[in-house]
Amino acid sequence: MSDHDHPRAIGGKPFDPLMKTLLAIFGVSAVVMVYRFFTGVGPVSNMTDGFTWGIWEPVNVVVFTGIGAGAYGVALLCYLLNKGKYHVLVRPAVLLGAICYTLGASSIVIALGRYWNSYWLAVPTMWNLSSALLEVAVCVLSYVAVLWIEVLPSVLDGAAQSKSSAWSQLGRTWGPLLAKAMPYIIALAILLPTMHQSSLGGLLLIAGPKVHPLWHTALLPTLFLISCLSMGYGAVVVLTTILNLTWKAKHDQRLFAEMSKVNAGLLLLYVVLRLGDIAIHGKLAYLGFNGYTLLFVVEIALFLVPAFMFFSPRVQQNKGRLFGAALLTVAAGASYRVDTYLSVYRPAPGWDYFPSFGEIIVTIGMAAIGMAIFIFISRMFPVVVVETRDHSHAGSGRVLTAGSR
Amino acid sequence: MSISRRSLLKGAVVAGAATALVGRAEAREEVEPRPDAVGMLYDSTRCIGCRACVTRCKEANSLPYDRTAEGIHDAPTDLNSNTKNIIKVWTAGEKSAFTKQQCMHCVDPSCVSVCMMGALHKEGEGKRDFAGEKKGTGVVLYDKGTCVGCRYCQIACAFNVPKFEWFEAFPLIVKCELCRHRGDPKKEGPLAIANPACCEACPREAVVYGKREALLAEAKRRLAEDPKRYNGLIYGEKEGGGTQVLYLAGAGVTFKQLGMPELPEESSASFSERVSHAPYLHGITPIALYGAMAFVIRRNKSKEEASEHHGEGK
């Protein structure tokens, strides 16, 4: 990698039409959220005692954090396996992760019935360690903090370059200190998602009688862990391609192709484990002409198609095709997660569910504010590495590997 | 290509380290019925569907009457946040059988296993000390002070018993607590612990309250005394790790027809905890993993800086 890979603040007008649209969408969802605190969850949702999590948990938490797992995936490659070439992806991936996880955690507060009791989570003697959800809650909250600490180097970099001497001083003092602590923070940033992403699958182990046998398996934690990585790598390619189109972000096709081969391996590993598990436990009999089989086939296809695409040179060399394949991996993980939590979840005969307008608008609004935050921070602080021939940016943040940010 | 394959392999090893051991289940002791556990025995063949128990349950627990959108007064069709106990009927042609639903007070309850801060807990075995709670009764109690309303209990309960107050700004989880508040310490035996209003109300002793052991013996006695009357099984003796509320059903009627889920002998809580706890090795795995990763990442960083220092770049 060259020395020219400096992330730069994008700058520009903060309130462009896109930003206004995103904020308007969030505004509508915010009305629903505020209303919910006065009336309870019932009036704004179609959730029932049978489908008690609606779409908020399956989508806002389980899918959003899967997309945010790009930060985890890139950290694994870049820091643990010491592949310095992936460094250009770290800052956007970490920012995406920080935003996705923050949205997931905030969505939970909206969904919790007795949110004011959450303070007990800070008291370890109260923890019921048998609860997969406790593990997820504690781990996700800590990870949100860790992710924002990981975003700090961008902010401190930005501060160091600031014209204001106070800000500049702040950036210059704290930047290097943070860089020293970074390896210990990054180790945490790898450990925590390993734990809670598998626990997100583990959550449904106890719901055995309610989850369709094709999906309910002791491998749930493993499959959720693999699917978060495949979603994360896909999301990073998707994000960076979009940034390239809009802000001329550096787009290293070879690097993406290489990372996508790692992803292809993960996708295939998922399919092998999934099919093998079903075959070994004699669950093939559940396949037939029914809706569950259709969901299952679509899911497996969504994992297989991008895996084979990633191995094809025609895809590896083409920005558009690689983007398409990456998008499919995100869809694959998302469909697996939503299927497991919702589509194949049947509490008992007689229960039915379709999300209400209120539920959908909250989910869309959360996604919108997430994009708005990403755009805002990228405009203000050096996050994105921009394609440039200009060598005069000597003062901007130099990118090093292995936690030296 | 070779590099990426290698990194893939390494990546898979590292990322999968925590879950790779899933297959090798760690021993999690099966929860046995507590010797002093109390519960109920419901005999579907004795029930005439008078619903006196439903009404008395509401009175005893100060639950509001239920109202449908059409204005039908207090005729709930299922358990809900106003209804902790309900009588249902199963019909097929000429045949019909009544069934009763309320909390089963499982021996190894899923709701207790999943509850983050022990809001749902076995009496006297919660995360906080509650004055007056007596360990060993096995009654599943609710503490609104530590409940965050996450509703994981509703996902976990195979019987769909816990209900949520959907239309309240400050909602509660509602479920049968075996009328523990009606227990009278001055009385002898099980009545000192609890006194379910439904059992008190039943005119035909279709549902009776007592120690689980005694109820199990009574169920067996009834089966032996009149084998033609029953289907020969006791639901809750083993199902889902056992429950403290036991069921008898008439000849030719299955428990599934009465709305009870078909459950394996291992409790869902035991299965779930066994699988999820295995890779943690009592907390050793995360600590070891963290230490190893911090070491590798720091070493990588020093190497990086050394090569930078020598002006080699990369």
Side-chain angles (χ1 to χ4, degrees), chain A residues 88-89 236-245 248-257 316-320 322-323 385-387:
Chain A
V88 285
L89 304 177
V236 169
V237 173
V238 169
L239 171 74
T240 323
T241 309
I242 294 172
L243 294 178
N244 172 257
L245 295 175
K248 295 200 170 52
K250 191 172 160 61
H251 190 277
D252 187 336
Q253 187 71 22
R254 271 182 55 201
L255 185 67
F256 285 169
Q316 288 170 5
Q317 288 153 16
N318 183 297
K319 204 195 279 188
L322 195 68
F323 175 80
V385 177
V386 182
E387 205 85 69

Side-chain angles (χ1 to χ4, degrees), chain A residues 69-399:
Chain A
Y72 169 43
V74 172
L76 270 179
L77 287 177
C78 191
Y79 299 117
L80 201 58
L81 304 176
N82 208 20
K83 302 269 174 276
K85 60 190 171 189
Y86 290 107
H87 214 113
V88 285
L89 304 177
V90 165
R91 284 190 179 181
V94 163
L95 181 56
L96 178 69
I99 291 169
C100 285
Y101 269 87
T102 306
L103 295 179
S106 354
S107 298
I108 281 294
V109 177
I110 312 296
L112 283 183
R114 302 174 63 78
Y115 47 87
W116 61 90
N117 276 339
S118 320
Y119 68 91
W120 284 113
L121 279 172
V123 186
T125 54
M126 294 299 292
W127 292 353
N128 171 15
L129 294 173
S130 314
S131 171
L133 191 64
L134 178 100
E135 208 264 88
V136 168
V138 172
C139 248
V140 165
L141 289 175
S142 330
Y143 187 49
V144 168
V146 167
L147 278 166
W148 285 109
I149 294 172
E150 281 193 284
V151 172
L152 271 184
S154 308
V155 178
L156 292 173
D157 255 11
Q161 293 157 45
S162 156
K163 287 184 191 78
S164 140
S165 70
W167 275 112
S168 173
Q169 187 60 38
L170 186 86
R172 279 169 213 281
T173 318
W174 288 99
L177 277 175
L178 188 61
K180 276 216 176 87
M182 224 42 183
Y184 303 97
I185 292 163
I186 292 166
L188 211 52
I190 296 175
L191 177 70
L192 292 175
T194 312
M195 283 164 64
H196 68 240
Q197 283 293 343
S198 38
S199 288
L200 279 176
L203 269 181
L204 289 174
L205 286 170
I206 203 162
K210 301 182 182 180
V211 178
H212 192 274
L214 284 174
W215 279 263
H216 188 265
T217 152
L219 282 181
L220 272 168
T222 315
L223 292 171
F224 266 66
L225 187 63
I226 298 171
S227 70
C228 92
L229 283 170
S230 67
M231 280 178 90
Y233 288 133
V236 169
V237 173
V238 169
L239 171 74
T240 323
T241 309
I242 294 172
L243 294 178
N244 172 257
L245 295 175
T246 49
W247 292 332
K248 295 200 170 52
K250 191 172 160 61
H251 190 277
D252 187 336
Q253 187 71 22
R254 271 182 55 201
L255 185 67
F256 285 169
E258 201 131 308
M259 187 170 80
S260 296
K261 279 189 271 181
V262 175
N263 199 351
L266 289 166
L267 293 164
L268 290 176
L269 178 64
Y270 170 93
V271 174
V272 168
L273 286 178
R274 190 80 202 280
L275 295 179
D277 178 60
I278 286 170
I280 288 168
H281 291 99
K283 290 183 181 169
L284 289 170
Y286 289 101
L287 295 168
F289 287 99
N290 53 50
Y292 292 111
T293 307
L294 182 69
L295 282 176
F296 181 77
V297 169
V298 168
E299 224 176 73
I300 296 291
L302 277 171
F303 275 89
L304 277 182
V305 170
F308 287 113
M309 285 175 78
F310 285 145
F311 283 125
S312 145
R314 284 181 65 232
V315 175
Q316 288 170 5
Q317 288 153 16
N318 183 297
K319 204 195 279 188
R321 291 198 189 108
L322 195 68
F323 175 80
L327 208 54
L328 282 178
T329 65
V330 178
S335 79
Y336 171 58
R337 285 160 177 247
V338 173
D339 281 352
T340 313
Y341 268 78
L342 189 57
S343 318
V344 305
Y345 177 86
R346 289 288 169 273
W351 290 105
D352 242 331
Y353 168 79
F354 193 82
S356 72
F357 171 77
E359 281 172 80
I360 294 169
I361 194 69
V362 166
T363 296
I364 294 175
M366 283 290 184
I369 193 68
M371 287 186 227
I373 296 169
F374 189 95
I375 295 169
F376 178 77
I377 294 184
S378 306
R379 283 191 190 284
M380 299 290 290
F381 300 104
V383 172
V384 181
V385 177
V386 182
E387 205 85 69
T388 175
R389 304 270 172 273
D390 182 6
H391 289 209
S392 66
H393 284 272
S396 58
R398 253 179 64 73
V399 179

Side-chain angles (χ1 to χ4, degrees), chain A residues 40 42 48-49 52-53 79-80 111 113-114 117 120 127-128 130-131 135 179 184 203 210 225 345 347 398 401-402, chain B residues 14-15 112 114-116 127 144-145 147-152 154 157 160 164 166 171 280 290 298 300-301 304:
Chain A
T48 54
D49 289 320
T52 189
W53 280 349
Y79 299 117
L80 201 58
R114 302 174 63 78
N117 276 339
W120 284 113
W127 292 353
N128 171 15
S130 314
S131 171
E135 208 264 88
Y184 303 97
L203 269 181
K210 301 182 182 180
L225 187 63
Y345 177 86
R398 253 179 64 73
T401 46
Chain B
V14 174
V112 170
V114 302
C115 192
M116 291 201 283
K127 289 278 153 193
K144 66 178 182 181
C147 170
V148 297
C150 70
R151 310 191 287 284
Y152 191 15
Q154 297 193 294
C157 176
N160 294 300
F164 181 70
W166 291 99
Y280 284 85
Y290 178 79
R298 217 176 67 107
N300 288 344
K301 183 191 171 188
E304 190 81 31

Side-chain angles (χ1 to χ4, degrees), chain B residues 168-200:
Chain B
E168 296 290 336
F170 306 107
L172 297 168
I173 290 288
V174 179
K175 75 161 205 69
C176 156
E177 294 173 74
L178 210 67
C179 285
R180 191 191 156 277
H181 64 288
R182 297 180 80 243
D184 184 352
K186 284 181 218 115
K187 288 193 176 142
E188 289 287 304
L191 286 177
I193 297 163
N195 184 11
C198 54
C199 299
E200 213 175 57

Side-chain angles (χ1 to χ4, degrees), chain B residues 23-301:
Chain B
R24 282 207 280 142
E26 186 182 8
R28 186 261 202 197
E29 278 181 33
E30 292 283 331
V31 179
E32 294 296 325
R34 292 148 185 80
D36 290 329
V38 290
M40 299 191 288
L41 170 63
Y42 173 73
D43 187 335
S44 171
T45 67
R46 292 192 181 196
C47 178
I48 52 164
C50 70
R51 299 173 69 253
C53 59
V54 180
T55 307
R56 286 294 292 280
C57 171
K58 291 216 164 184
E59 286 168 6
N61 290 286
S62 318
L63 292 165
Y65 288 116
D66 203 66
R67 221 175 282 261
T68 67
E70 296 82 39
I72 296 171
H73 184 68
D74 207 31
T77 55
D78 203 348
L79 294 178
N80 59 40
S81 58
N82 297 334
T83 313
K84 294 182 176 181
N85 167 47
I86 195 161
I87 296 292
K88 289 181 178 179
V89 66
W90 164 81
T91 53
E94 293 285 288
K95 284 183 85 168
S96 73
F98 290 106
T99 186
K100 181 175 182 293
Q101 282 180 353
Q102 73 297 305
C103 178
M104 302 292 284
H105 298 279
C106 301
V107 171
D108 187 10
S110 293
C111 60
V112 170
S113 166
V114 302
C115 192
M116 291 201 283
M117 265 86 67
L120 287 170
H121 60 278
K122 284 278 189 184
E123 181 175 359
E125 299 172 39
K127 289 278 153 193
R128 307 204 274 182
D129 280 332
F130 298 97
E133 282 198 13
K134 198 173 151 233
K135 193 173 168 175
T137 68
V139 180
V140 179
L141 296 175
Y142 175 63
D143 165 29
K144 66 178 182 181
T146 46
C147 170
V148 297
C150 70
R151 310 191 287 284
Y152 191 15
C153 51
Q154 297 193 294
I155 301 270
C157 176
F159 303 95
N160 294 300
V161 163
K163 299 295 171 187
F164 181 70
E165 293 183 325
W166 291 99
F167 295 88
E168 296 290 336
F170 306 107
L172 297 168
I173 290 288
V174 179
K175 75 161 205 69
C176 156
E177 294 173 74
L178 210 67
C179 285
R180 191 191 156 277
H181 64 288
R182 297 180 80 243
D184 184 352
K186 284 181 218 115
K187 288 193 176 142
E188 289 287 304
L191 286 177
I193 297 163
N195 184 11
C198 54
C199 299
E200 213 175 57
C202 185
R204 288 174 53 91
E205 293 188 339
V207 61
V208 289
Y209 165 72
K211 269 194 163 190
R212 186 179 186 270
E213 276 176 2
L215 295 171
L216 199 56
E218 169 65 11
K220 285 177 179 161
R221 190 191 65 78
R222 288 187 199 178
L223 289 183
E225 194 178 78
D226 198 352
K228 286 204 185 107
R229 185 184 170 101
Y230 297 101
N231 70 5
L233 304 164
I234 304 168
Y235 189 95
E237 185 180 8
K238 302 267 186 218
E239 280 77 5
T243 55
Q244 291 176 203
V245 179
L246 305 169
Y247 281 64
L248 290 176
V253 180
T254 66
F255 291 113
K256 196 184 178 188
Q257 286 164 335
L258 296 186
M260 315 306 289
E262 287 172 319
L263 298 175
E265 282 193 18
E266 182 184 21
S267 70
S268 296
S270 165
F271 169 75
S272 155
E273 289 178 28
R274 187 160 60 78
V275 173
S276 351
H277 289 181
Y280 284 85
L281 302 174
H282 302 289
I284 296 168
T285 319
I287 295 166
L289 211 56
Y290 178 79
M293 290 193 301
F295 172 76
V296 171
I297 293 165
R298 217 176 67 107
R299 198 197 52 186
N300 288 344
K301 183 191 171 188

